[in-house]
Amino acid sequence: MSKRVEPTNTSAFYAQAAVAFGIAMFAVVAGIYFLPVDGWMRAFLAVSSMFLVSSAFTLAKVVRDAQEQSSVGARLDQARVDKLLAEHDPFVPGL
C-alpha cells in the first residue's frame, strides 16, 4: 500500500496570509475612522465589518471541513473504524 502524501502549507504562506489580513483590516479601520460622517454611521460600518470578517472565517471553516470530509482518505479511515467497531465483541474475555 502506498503512503498518501498530503499537501501542506509553508510558514511563509501562513505569514503572507496573516500580513494580508492585517493590512486589509487596518485599511478598513482607517477608512471608517477618517470617513466624514457621523459617529453612528461609523459605528454601523464598524459592526458590519466585524460581522463580515467573522462570517468569512466561518465560511472558510465550513468549506475546509466539507473538503476534508469528502476526501478519500477520510472516508477510508472512517470505514476502517466502522469495521473495527462492528467486529469488536466486548463480551469476549481476554481482549
Side-chain angles (χ1 to χ4, degrees):
M1 183 161 111
S2 66
K3 184 177 179 184
R4 189 175 56 162
V5 177
E6 299 209 13
T8 59
N9 293 328
T10 63
S11 57
F13 180 75
Y14 285 118
Q16 184 265 337
V19 168
F21 175 77
I23 291 170
M25 185 61 95
F26 176 77
V28 168
V29 169
I32 290 172
Y33 180 76
F34 289 112
L35 230 115
V37 294
D38 294 335
W40 69 269
M41 289 182 187
R42 281 193 186 108
F44 173 78
L45 289 172
V47 169
S48 298
S49 298
M50 289 183 345
F51 179 61
L52 178 64
V53 169
S54 67
S55 62
F57 279 126
T58 303
L59 177 62
K61 183 188 179 318
V62 167
V63 169
R64 183 200 65 204
D65 290 348
Q67 190 272 333
E68 285 178 353
Q69 264 188 340
S70 68
S71 72
V72 174
R75 289 186 294 181
L76 287 174
D77 290 341
Q78 185 62 40
R80 287 184 189 115
V81 169
D82 291 344
K83 182 181 178 209
L84 285 172
L85 289 174
E87 292 174 350
H88 176 68
D89 187 359
F91 299 109
V92 174
L95 290 180

